[in-house]
């Protein structure tokens, strides 16, 4: 630096002034450099111009001496001003040394670097665009600079660069997106603000289609949306709002599939509403393209359905997502297809995030293949099953899960039936839910499983069903995997009834609190005859006599008239299980209008041990006769000629009762019977309703005797302990 030759064509005075600590002297030197370079431009002497720029860069801007660096920066700015429109030919040489000073530890140097680059960019204008990435990279660092002067200088430069990009139609978006994708994951608030401002600018330029690259930056945007700064969140909301508007306008060209998983993983309270809103729009706009991502979407949506009013908007958006997604599942999804290999998103699209949803990700499909999508049924079932098992799952979420499963059994029965064995235990457990609405949905689902034709395709029963039947010692299904009495049901119906009764047996609280409710709903959902047939089959060999006597329930009206072979078979089947309770057996005969057999049974009561509990049962039956369910029986007392055994049976009950209120009640009823002399028994009783199928009443009486003898043996073994602590007539 001591000789003019080392720095020619710069004069010694220029060199000396550039190294001076005073700004004014460096400014004078810069004016001399500007004059010198203008002369070279006039002479078209590019060699000397390059030489001057090289000296200013290497000997000054990149010098170890701070004052020399300051001189180099102002000198380079002067060169750019002198070059004017020709500065574009030398931009690389001009920009690089200035950008190097952005990292200087001296804040004044960083400020001067901003000032120098501002002048360079202002002169070059659109010519700087090929160098945009390095300029953006440098500015993104200064956006978070702790010095307010440096930050202010960088903001001026930033606005200038944005103006240039907005005015130009030569911006290289393809080259810029990788850098944007990298920097969008910055945790610094100022850097985030800088990034968001640039995205907003680029989105506003008509010639720049940033929407095409949205999948690469969407994850970062949602992370920024969760920033603690309200101002930054607001800016990000504006950007996302603009993107969503553009998506609605250009939906056919939007890469929905590539962004679906990104929405799924964002569950932070601050961003959940936006994620749900986007997801709702995606499902509505993209339709079946979203099906492969159903499991991940449900993972995000289902918990939101149980939110309270504090998150009402999020809950409503999630509900809309859930409803729209469910509508996408159609019978065509039940067709067998080859499953494409699954894949996970590229790390670069979700940088700095640790995913726990790897088993939810489905492959990204090209636009041309969007019409051919595969329902991720296994993933959906896994999600639904997990929510049912989780004790912390909210009621509305549990209801939504059961609705989803029911929908899948309706739309994709063949595929979903493969999961029935794994779902069955949790569905049975759900019958103990505290919510009646949950139980109703669960029963509706179980009824669909039990009656679906798809269940008939099962080759054989599972070993678990066989073990249950062996344990309960009940007859198994005959051919076709149906229970002996329920040929219209599939194998899961019988399995369900076995498990239901076993659950009642093990959980008496469930039986007491919800037993009648559950059976009543099943009778509405399925054929009531099937329900009682299967219960009778199972209870026939039930060794827990207390449980067998408790399982007496209200029958449907078809038992009143034994007109068909099926109704007669049902009566016989129920009879064999009800006769564990003698009085209940009589009530069954009254219900089915088997009055003569009821009389025959009452005749046998003299051979039974008449206990207080037994008399209480008779008392209850008398009270039941006065209820609306037996209105038809009381009216038949007017037809003495055709119902002599009804009257004799009632008198038999009267004779069993002590002088009690029930005795007085029944006695008063019988006093109302007209013309008692007509009670005599005819040799051949005229039957009001001919039964097409004969019932072997003698065999039934023998079965009754065997059951009562078994009860007697057990009572003797237990030294007179009562086997009927809960004497409730189930009709």
């Amino acid at each position: 630096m001591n000789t003019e030759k080392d720095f020619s064509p710069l004069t010694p005075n220029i060199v000396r002034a550039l190294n001076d600590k005073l700004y004014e002297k460096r400014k004078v030197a810069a004016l001399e450099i500007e004059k010198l370079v203008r002369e070279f431009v006039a002479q078209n002497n590019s060699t000397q111009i390059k030489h001057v720029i090289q000296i200013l860069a290497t000997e000054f801007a990149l010098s170890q001496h701070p004052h020399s660096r300051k001189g180099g920066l102002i000198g380079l700015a002067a060169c750019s001003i002198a070059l004017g429109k020709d500065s574009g030919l030398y931009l690389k040489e001009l920009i690089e040394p200035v950008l190097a000073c952005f990292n200087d530890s001296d804040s004044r140097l960083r400020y001067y670097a901003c000032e120098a680059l501002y002048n360079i960019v202002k002169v070059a204008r659109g010519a700087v665009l090929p160098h945009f990435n390095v300029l953006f990279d440098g500015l993104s660092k200064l956006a978070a600079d702790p010095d307010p002067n440096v930050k202010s200088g960088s903001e001026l430069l930033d606005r200038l660069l944005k103006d240039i990009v907005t005015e130009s139609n030569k911006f290289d978006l393809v080259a810029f997106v990788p850098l944007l994708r990298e920097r969008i994951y910055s945790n610094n608030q100022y850097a985030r603000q800088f990034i968001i401002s640039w995205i907003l600018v680029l989105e506003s330029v008509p010639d720049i289609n940033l929407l095409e690259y949205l999948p690469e930056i969407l994850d970062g945007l949602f992370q920024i949306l969760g920033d603690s700064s309200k101002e930054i969140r607001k800016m990000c909301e504006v950007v996302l709002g603009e993107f969503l508007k553009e998506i609605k306008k250009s939906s056919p060209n939007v890469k929905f599939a590539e962004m679906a998983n990104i929405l799924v993983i964002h569950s932070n309270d601050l961003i959940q509403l936006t994620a749900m809103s986007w997801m709702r729009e995606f499902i509505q706009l993209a339709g079946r393209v979203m099906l492969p991502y159903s499991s991940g979407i449900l993972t995000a949506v289902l918990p939101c359905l149980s939110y309270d009013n504090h998150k009402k908007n999020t809950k409503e958006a999630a509900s809309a997502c859930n409803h729209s997604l469910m509508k996408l599942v159609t019978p065509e999804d039940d067709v067998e297809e080859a499953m494409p290999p699954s894949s996970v998103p590229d790390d670069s699209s979700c940088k700095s995030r640790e995913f726990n949803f790897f088993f939810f990700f489905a492959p990204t499909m090209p636009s041309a293949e969007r019409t051919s999508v595969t329902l991720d049924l296994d993933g959906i079932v896994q999600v639904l099953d997990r929510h049912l098992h989780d004790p912390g799952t909210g009621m509305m979420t549990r209801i939504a899960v059961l609705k989803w499963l029911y929908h899948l059994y309706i739309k994709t029965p063949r595929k979903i039936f493969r999961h029935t064995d794994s779902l069955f235990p949790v569905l049975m457990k759900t019958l103990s839910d505290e919510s009646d609405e949950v139980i109703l949905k669960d029963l509706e689902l179980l009824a669909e499983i039990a009656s679906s034709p798809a269940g008939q395709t099962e080759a054989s029963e599972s070993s678990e069903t066989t073990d249950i039947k062996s344990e309960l010692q009940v007859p198994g299904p005959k051919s076709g995997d149906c229970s002996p009495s329920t040929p219209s049901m599939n194998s899961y119906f019988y399995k369900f009834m076995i498990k239901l009764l076993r659950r009642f047996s093990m959980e008496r609280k469930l039986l007491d609190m919800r037993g009648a409710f559950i059976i009543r709903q099943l009778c509405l959902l399925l054929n009531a005859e099937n329900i009682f047939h299967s219960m009778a089959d199972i209870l026939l060999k039930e060794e827990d006599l207390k449980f067998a006597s408790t399982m007496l329930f209200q029958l449907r009206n078809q038992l009143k008239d034994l007109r068909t072979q099926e109704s007669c078979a049902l009566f016989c089947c129920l009879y064999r299980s009800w006769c564990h309770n003698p009085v209940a057996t009589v009530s069954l005969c009254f219900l089915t209008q088997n009055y003569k057999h009821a009389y025959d049974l009452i005749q046998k009561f003299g051979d039974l041990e008449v206990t207080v509990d037994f008399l209480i049962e008779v008392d209850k039956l008398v009270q039941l006769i006065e209820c609306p369910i037996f209105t038809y029986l009381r009216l038949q007392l007017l037809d003495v000629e055709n119902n002599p055994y009804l009257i004799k049976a009632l008198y038999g009950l009267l004779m069993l009762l002590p002088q009690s209120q029930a005795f007085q009640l029944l006695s008063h009823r019988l006093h109302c019977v007209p013309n008692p002399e007509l009670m005599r028994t005819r040799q051949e009783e005229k039957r009001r309703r001919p039964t097409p199928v004969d019932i072997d009443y003698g065999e039934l009486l023998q079965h009754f005797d065997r059951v009562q003898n078994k009860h007697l043996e057990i009572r003797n073994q237990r030294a007179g302990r009562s086997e009927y602590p809960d004497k409730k007539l189930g009709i």
Side-chain angles (χ1 to χ4, degrees):
M1 289 187 183
N2 297 325
T3 64
E4 184 179 346
K5 181 179 181 181
D6 294 336
F7 302 100
S8 59
L10 299 182
T11 65
N13 289 335
I14 293 176
V15 172
R16 201 164 29 251
L18 286 176
N19 284 295
D20 201 281
K21 64 180 181 179
L22 295 177
Y23 172 76
E24 291 301 327
K25 290 187 177 181
R26 296 197 299 273
K27 185 176 180 181
V28 170
L31 292 173
E32 290 297 323
I33 292 173
E34 181 182 346
K35 181 180 178 182
L36 180 63
V37 173
R38 286 185 187 278
E39 292 176 358
F40 291 146
V41 171
Q43 298 168 8
N44 199 23
N45 192 343
S46 59
T47 302
Q48 286 292 69
I49 294 173
K50 289 181 180 179
H51 190 46
V52 170
I53 294 174
Q54 183 181 10
I55 292 172
L56 291 172
T58 58
E59 301 296 336
F60 289 89
L62 301 178
S63 171
Q64 297 297 317
H65 195 279
H67 298 314
S68 297
R69 293 200 293 276
K70 295 173 186 176
L73 290 171
I74 197 171
L76 289 170
C79 286
S80 179
I81 293 171
L83 288 167
K85 63 179 181 179
D86 293 331
S87 61
L89 302 173
Y90 309 94
L91 278 177
K92 187 175 185 298
E93 293 82 0
L94 290 168
I95 290 174
E96 287 184 352
V98 177
L99 287 174
C101 293
F102 276 17
N103 299 318
D104 201 286
S105 59
D106 187 342
S107 61
R108 289 174 299 177
L109 257 166
R110 297 197 300 275
Y111 175 78
Y112 288 136
C114 283
E115 185 180 55
L117 191 56
Y118 180 88
N119 285 303
I120 294 171
V121 172
K122 186 175 182 180
V123 171
R125 301 296 294 183
V128 301
L129 290 179
H131 308 277
F132 178 82
N133 277 14
V134 294
L135 295 174
F136 182 88
D137 183 52
L139 277 174
S140 65
K141 297 173 182 176
L142 291 186
D145 199 285
D147 188 275
N149 291 324
V150 176
K151 199 168 182 299
S152 176
S154 69
E155 289 173 355
L156 287 173
L157 177 57
D158 181 54
R159 284 198 292 271
L160 174 61
L161 201 56
K162 285 174 180 173
D163 289 341
I164 294 172
V165 170
T166 304
E167 296 168 358
S168 175
N169 58 0
K170 297 181 180 179
F171 182 74
D172 190 353
L173 184 61
V174 176
F176 172 62
V177 167
L179 178 62
L180 177 61
R181 184 179 59 210
E182 176 187 348
R183 293 304 167 87
I184 202 170
Y185 287 100
S186 172
N187 292 322
N188 183 278
Q189 288 187 349
Y190 295 109
R192 284 182 164 184
Q193 195 170 17
F194 171 79
I195 292 291
I196 289 294
S197 68
W198 266 102
I199 293 176
L200 192 57
V201 167
L202 295 175
E203 174 63 12
S204 67
V205 179
D207 294 332
I208 298 177
N209 184 18
L210 191 57
L211 183 63
E212 183 179 353
Y213 300 94
L214 182 57
E216 301 190 47
I217 62 173
L218 186 61
D219 180 68
L221 284 173
F222 271 101
Q223 288 201 50
I224 295 176
L225 188 61
D227 195 275
S228 58
S229 168
K230 184 177 181 180
E231 181 181 358
I232 293 176
R233 292 201 305 270
K234 187 64 178 177
M235 289 179 63
C236 194
E237 286 175 3
V238 172
V239 169
L240 288 169
E242 291 300 318
F243 273 124
L244 196 55
K245 289 180 184 177
E246 191 67 23
I247 287 172
K248 293 178 181 179
K249 294 178 183 178
S250 312
S251 57
N253 301 318
V254 176
K255 300 176 181 178
F256 290 105
E258 296 181 21
M259 293 185 283
N261 291 311
I262 298 172
L263 300 179
V264 167
I265 63 178
H266 290 284
S267 57
N268 182 289
D269 289 344
L270 293 173
I271 63 179
Q272 200 171 55
L273 175 58
T274 303
M276 287 295 150
S277 300
W278 274 61
M279 202 176 296
R280 177 185 59 200
E281 296 295 339
F282 275 30
I283 295 171
Q284 293 175 352
L285 294 171
R288 289 179 58 83
V289 172
M290 302 298 289
L291 275 182
Y293 308 90
S294 301
S295 56
I297 294 173
L298 287 175
T299 299
V301 165
L302 288 174
C304 302
L305 300 178
S306 294
Y307 283 172
D308 54 24
N309 288 333
H310 290 91
K311 297 181 180 179
K312 182 179 179 181
N313 292 337
T314 303
K315 180 179 180 179
E316 290 177 351
S319 179
C321 286
N322 184 59
H323 181 69
S324 298
L325 186 64
M326 188 178 292
K327 289 171 63 177
L328 298 181
V329 181
T330 64
E332 69 182 86
D333 294 305
D334 208 26
V335 178
E336 298 294 339
E337 296 180 3
M339 293 291 289
S342 60
S343 62
V344 299
D346 185 83
D347 291 341
S348 59
S349 64
C350 302
K351 187 176 179 181
S352 77
R353 289 193 62 82
E354 183 176 342
F355 294 101
N356 294 317
F357 301 93
F358 58 90
F359 50 85
F360 293 135
F361 287 101
T364 298
M365 291 167 288
S367 300
E369 299 178 5
R370 287 184 176 179
T371 55
S372 177
V373 295
T374 303
L375 178 68
D376 180 21
L377 185 62
D378 292 347
I380 290 176
V381 172
Q382 185 177 5
V383 173
L384 299 177
D385 183 69
R386 189 172 68 252
H387 278 88
L388 281 182
H389 275 94
D390 185 359
T393 300
M395 182 189 73
M396 297 307 298
T397 299
R398 298 198 301 276
I399 291 173
V401 167
L402 293 170
K403 285 182 177 179
W404 256 103
L405 288 171
Y406 180 80
H407 185 69
L408 292 173
Y409 273 99
I410 294 295
K411 300 297 183 181
T412 61
R414 288 188 297 175
K415 285 186 176 180
I416 190 65
F417 254 96
R418 299 170 186 168
H419 299 274
T420 302
D421 284 337
S422 62
L423 288 170
F424 226 80
V426 70
L427 294 180
M428 294 302 300
K429 183 179 179 181
T430 305
L431 291 175
S432 301
D433 197 278
E434 59 185 15
S435 166
D436 285 350
E437 190 173 355
V438 172
I439 295 176
L440 283 173
K441 293 300 177 185
D442 193 35
L443 289 171
E444 185 178 5
L445 172 57
L446 287 166
E448 177 60 30
I449 292 174
S451 60
S452 174
Q456 302 287 8
T457 62
E458 299 295 319
S460 61
E461 292 183 278
S462 65
S463 59
E464 181 184 4
T465 307
T466 304
D467 293 341
I468 293 173
K469 290 176 181 177
S470 175
E471 179 183 336
L472 291 178
Q473 297 184 2
V474 298
K478 296 178 181 178
S479 60
D481 286 338
C482 299
S483 77
S485 309
T486 57
S488 62
M489 297 289 104
N490 61 43
S491 61
Y492 285 100
F493 172 78
Y494 203 68
K495 179 180 179 181
F496 164 57
M497 293 305 299
I498 291 172
K499 287 196 172 187
L500 178 62
L501 291 181
R502 186 168 74 169
R503 194 166 187 85
F504 282 157
S505 177
M506 296 172 63
E507 297 183 31
R508 292 305 173 90
K509 184 178 179 180
L510 175 63
L511 176 60
D512 294 339
M513 300 296 294
R514 299 287 180 77
F517 169 73
I518 290 174
I519 296 299
R520 185 166 59 250
Q521 293 303 319
L522 286 175
C523 287
L524 293 174
L525 293 166
L526 298 169
N527 189 307
E529 183 176 340
N530 287 331
I531 300 297
F532 288 108
H533 256 310
S534 61
M535 288 173 56
D537 283 344
I538 298 168
L539 291 173
L540 182 61
K541 294 294 181 72
E542 171 62 57
E543 294 187 344
D544 185 346
L545 301 181
K546 180 173 65 174
F547 173 65
S549 64
T550 304
M551 287 301 301
L552 304 173
F553 299 98
Q554 182 176 359
L555 295 177
R556 305 296 290 177
N557 286 333
Q558 77 246 29
L559 280 176
K560 289 183 180 179
D561 302 308
L562 302 180
R563 294 181 176 181
T564 65
Q565 182 177 358
E566 290 76 15
S567 61
C568 291
L570 175 61
F571 167 74
C572 294
C573 186
L574 291 175
Y575 182 97
R576 287 182 169 84
S577 59
W578 283 42
C579 63
H580 288 287
N581 186 313
V583 180
T585 310
V586 172
S587 70
L588 175 64
C589 291
F590 281 162
L591 180 68
T592 57
Q593 303 178 65
N594 274 287
Y595 300 137
K596 183 180 185 305
H597 194 68
Y599 172 73
D600 293 339
L601 286 174
I602 293 172
Q603 292 296 305
K604 290 182 172 290
F605 283 8
D607 299 330
L608 302 179
E609 181 183 1
V610 180
T611 63
V612 174
D613 287 340
F614 180 86
L615 292 176
I616 291 174
E617 289 286 340
V618 178
D619 187 289
K620 288 181 179 180
L621 178 56
V622 172
Q623 300 292 335
L624 190 64
I625 291 172
E626 297 298 321
C627 292
I629 191 174
F630 277 122
T631 299
Y632 69 93
L633 180 147
R634 297 195 299 273
L635 289 174
Q636 286 173 1
L637 291 174
L638 298 174
D639 188 2
V640 178
E641 182 179 359
N642 289 310
N643 295 291
Y645 283 105
L646 169 59
I647 299 173
K648 293 171 73 69
L650 292 177
Y651 268 107
L653 291 177
L654 186 67
M655 295 303 104
L656 287 171
L657 288 168
Q659 298 289 319
S660 61
Q661 184 178 358
F663 177 90
Q664 298 298 330
L665 182 65
L666 183 56
S667 176
H668 181 71
R669 173 64 65 185
L670 289 172
H671 273 101
C672 297
V673 175
N675 196 358
E677 295 181 359
L678 296 177
M679 290 173 54
R680 62 184 179 275
T681 305
R682 295 186 175 188
Q683 187 69 25
E684 293 293 331
E685 181 184 356
K686 187 187 299 181
R687 302 179 66 179
R688 298 172 63 246
R689 302 173 194 81
T691 303
V693 180
D694 290 334
I695 295 177
D696 189 349
Y697 289 102
E699 192 275 331
L700 292 180
L701 285 173
Q702 292 177 8
H703 181 80
F704 179 84
D705 290 339
R706 288 194 297 271
V707 171
Q708 299 312 313
N709 289 334
K710 187 174 183 180
H711 277 275
L712 180 61
E713 292 175 5
I714 294 174
R715 283 197 297 272
N716 291 335
Q717 292 173 358
R718 297 185 180 181
R721 291 169 57 188
S722 174
E723 288 299 312
Y724 303 103
D726 185 11
K727 302 294 184 182
K728 294 182 180 178
L729 285 179
I731 301 179

